[in-house]
Amino acid sequence: MPKSSRSPRRDAKGPTQPYSSAPVKQESKQWKATQGSNLIAPNTGIGQHFLKNPAIVTSIIQKAGVKSTDIVLEIGPGTGNMTVPLLQKSKSVVALEYDSRMVREVLKRVQNTPEEHKLQIIQGDAIQTKWPFFDLCVANIPYQISSAIVFKLLAHRPMFRCAVLMVQEEFALRLSARPGEALYCRLSVNTQLLAKVDQLLKVGKVRLRSPSQPGIAR
């Protein structure tokens, strides 16, 4: 949760290029029905990875504490595996997606459903695009823009309640590292100055398409 109005320094090493989407394993009939015949391959060039396991999606949403009055910013919705349940739990979802294939897929997933009117999609680069107001952020982001996304979140105003991020495990450990630990760095200092950081769960590679051993940080 953000806790200060001071803006952090941007990590000069954090690239500002496009990002990405969502992870899985055994699928229930209901999950398969909502996924339809989606066989879109992740674009590894921009670090896309798709959540495959509905139990992980459910766990992330529960840990995010989504309320029926929340406006949720989802960065990198991918094929919409997390977008649909977020829509069902929240007031509305603003999905920010770079890949036009994913934009079409998410729109197709909610077409002619009660959730259709609750979704707004912004196509663009998450770093360069101006973000709207939101109460809660849920993001599944690639390693190469993780620092840039975190610093943009910390600098965002008006302040939001919390952000739940799926990031590479090493990055999650750097976010939560304490003074004296090997991974303690400028990212740790700036993030913990402005927010409370918790590691929520680890997502194994088997639960992802285009895996990179992510962890979930809040």
Side-chain angles (χ1 to χ4, degrees), residues 98-114:
Y98 178 82
D99 191 335
S100 60
R101 300 176 306 153
M102 304 306 156
V103 171
R104 292 192 295 270
E105 185 66 20
V106 174
L107 287 173
K108 184 169 68 176
R109 289 279 293 274
V110 301
Q111 189 175 18
N112 299 322
T113 70

Side-chain angles (χ1 to χ4, degrees), residues 48-216:
Q48 282 181 339
H49 48 274
F50 300 155
L51 273 166
K52 302 187 300 176
N53 192 330
I56 296 297
V57 172
T58 299
S59 180
I60 291 171
I61 292 174
Q62 287 176 344
K63 291 178 184 300
V66 182
K67 301 177 182 178
S68 60
T69 55
D70 281 342
I71 297 173
V72 179
L73 175 67
E74 184 185 12
I75 302 173
T79 59
N81 293 345
M82 190 140 45
T83 311
V84 173
L86 280 173
L87 285 165
Q88 293 168 347
K89 291 279 188 180
S90 66
K91 178 181 179 180
S92 64
V93 172
V94 179
L96 180 52
E97 177 58 68
Y98 178 82
D99 191 335
S100 60
R101 300 176 306 153
M102 304 306 156
V103 171
R104 292 192 295 270
E105 185 66 20
V106 174
L107 287 173
K108 184 169 68 176
R109 289 279 293 274
V110 301
Q111 189 175 18
N112 299 322
T113 70
E115 287 75 40
E116 183 176 13
H117 73 282
K118 297 168 65 176
L119 175 66
Q120 175 189 354
I121 294 185
I122 301 174
Q123 184 177 355
D125 186 316
I127 306 301
Q128 303 299 327
T129 301
K130 183 178 179 180
W131 296 351
F133 169 85
F134 60 93
D135 300 294
L136 172 72
C137 176
V138 177
N140 183 6
I141 54 181
Y143 186 81
Q144 58 264 39
I145 63 161
S146 297
S147 292
I149 290 290
V150 167
F151 286 135
K152 186 165 182 175
L153 280 166
L154 293 173
H156 183 77
R157 299 295 181 271
M159 298 175 78
F160 52 94
R161 188 170 74 252
C162 78
V164 178
L165 311 178
M166 173 172 282
V167 294
Q168 193 167 346
E169 185 178 19
E170 178 193 343
F171 187 82
L173 292 172
R174 288 170 58 204
L175 279 177
S176 58
R178 304 304 178 193
E181 295 179 354
L183 291 176
Y184 191 68
C185 59
R186 183 174 64 174
L187 175 67
S188 318
V189 174
N190 285 337
T191 303
Q192 293 173 35
L193 176 67
L194 299 167
K196 181 179 181 293
V197 182
D198 296 304
Q199 291 187 47
L200 301 179
L201 60 102
K202 184 185 293 187
V203 180
K205 294 181 181 180
V206 72
R207 302 174 190 276
L208 297 166
R209 204 142 48 104
S210 185
S212 56
Q213 190 69 18
I216 306 290

Side-chain angles (χ1 to χ4, degrees), residues 13-51:
K13 294 183 180 179
T16 56
Q17 56 194 37
Y19 59 20
S20 92
S21 42
V24 8
K25 204 176 175 180
Q26 268 194 325
E27 301 169 343
S28 66
K29 291 181 179 179
Q30 183 179 7
W31 176 260
K32 289 180 178 178
T34 60
Q35 282 201 308
S37 58
N38 171 35
L39 295 175
I40 294 178
N43 183 346
T44 56
I46 59 174
Q48 282 181 339
H49 48 274
F50 300 155
L51 273 166

